[in-house]
Amino acid sequence: NAGVTQTPKFQVLKTGQSMTLQCAQDMNHEYMSWYRQDPGMGLRLIHYSVGAGITDQGEVPNGYNVSRSTTEDFPLRLLSAAPSQTSVYFCASSYSSHSPYEQYFGPGTRLTVT
Amino acid sequence: AQSVTQLGSHVSVSEGALVLLRCNYSSSVPPYLFWYVQYPNQGLQLLLKYTTGATLVKGINGFEAEFKKSETSFHLTKPSAHMSDAAEYFCAAMEYGNKLVFGAGTILRVKS
């Protein structure tokens, strides 16, 4: 199993550009989520999904969209990038949302918005 | 809403010394609690977790943590630090629906 994969590893955007961060998992996990990591703030939940076709907002959803058309994929879209979205983005997945199953994290995408 | 506080953004210990990283949670209802480790330029790896049952939890790499309800704490310890333990450590609490709330993180430095 590849686990949780994320592409790209690095990305530089100009203010106002849009892009999609890709996340995929091959463990048939029901639950997937996106976090952003900023220095001194830990990780904060952006959006999450409890299954294909079902998504919901986390703590910091503004400026981001998600969809979940398949169990495997959970892309994160930045609609109009802003410098405040410069961060490291992590995708995570777990077996289910109904119990405290371990969340498996991808390697991250480092995004810089100029 | 749940919050998690990690005391000390940086902790420095000598190789072979005790490692103690502090974590407190805010909820009056004990949540599920986790410690994750992040090595430079990598994702997060689970060290250990507390769900129910025994309050002393053992994890990987010789780490353990004790859940203390009366103190709303879940401190991480390791008896003897190794150079390879240098990393950033995150305490997290799980809210309803598998959502994790993270502390700000503690960077552990191990001196030779």
Side-chain angles (χ1 to χ4, degrees):
Chain A
N1 285 353
V4 180
T5 57
Q6 293 183 237
T7 56
K9 291 192 187 307
F10 302 94
Q11 183 69 49
V12 179
L13 289 179
K14 295 187 187 308
T15 297
Q17 288 185 317
S18 62
M19 79 160 294
T20 299
L21 308 184
Q22 300 292 344
C23 174
Q25 52 89 10
D26 61 358
M27 299 173 281
N28 200 31
H29 282 174
E30 177 181 277
Y31 181 89
M32 296 185 74
S33 55
W34 277 101
Y35 294 86
R36 60 177 289 172
Q37 181 181 21
D38 301 293
M41 302 186 74
L43 282 77
R44 292 178 292 167
L45 182 64
I46 304 172
H47 285 286
Y48 65 97
S49 170
V50 300
I54 306 170
T55 64
D56 206 345
Q57 297 181 349
E59 180 186 355
V60 289
N62 291 342
Y64 308 96
N65 271 3
V66 292
S67 60
R68 183 109 178 260
S69 56
T70 67
T71 299
E72 295 78 19
D73 301 298
F74 190 44
L76 178 72
R77 298 182 188 84
L78 280 69
L79 308 172
S80 177
S84 60
Q85 294 178 304
T86 293
S87 188
V88 182
Y89 291 85
F90 289 100
C91 179
S93 73
S94 68
Y95 177 72
S96 170
S97 62
H98 296 298
S99 292
Y101 292 104
E102 174 184 354
Q103 291 198 24
Y104 294 82
F105 284 80
T109 294
R110 187 173 296 271
L111 176 68
T112 301
V113 182
T114 61
Chain B
Q2 181 69 253
S3 69
V4 175
T5 302
Q6 290 183 238
L7 285 176
S9 59
H10 292 78
V11 170
S12 183
V13 301
S14 297
E15 192 172 21
L18 171 72
V19 175
L20 171 60
L21 305 182
R22 301 178 187 272
C23 173
N24 289 87
Y25 62 92
S26 65
S27 175
S28 59
V29 176
Y32 301 124
L33 296 163
F34 301 77
W35 275 100
Y36 283 86
V37 61
Q38 184 181 33
Y39 299 102
N41 300 313
Q42 294 188 25
L44 276 70
Q45 179 183 6
L46 181 69
L47 276 178
L48 49 81
K49 68 180 181 182
Y50 169 78
T51 53
T52 57
T55 56
L56 183 61
V57 181
K58 295 187 185 300
I60 61 172
N61 301 338
F63 284 93
E64 61 183 35
E66 186 171 10
F67 170 68
K68 291 188 176 180
K69 182 178 177 180
S70 61
E71 299 177 7
T72 61
S73 68
F74 190 55
H75 301 332
L76 181 71
T77 61
K78 182 174 181 178
S80 178
H82 191 272
M83 296 297 289
S84 61
D85 295 326
E88 188 163 15
Y89 293 80
F90 292 94
C91 181
M94 182 171 283
E95 295 186 327
Y96 175 77
N98 223 12
K99 291 181 280 187
L100 285 172
V101 176
F102 284 86
T106 298
I107 294 173
L108 176 66
R109 177 181 169 225
V110 182
K111 300 175 289 185
S112 59

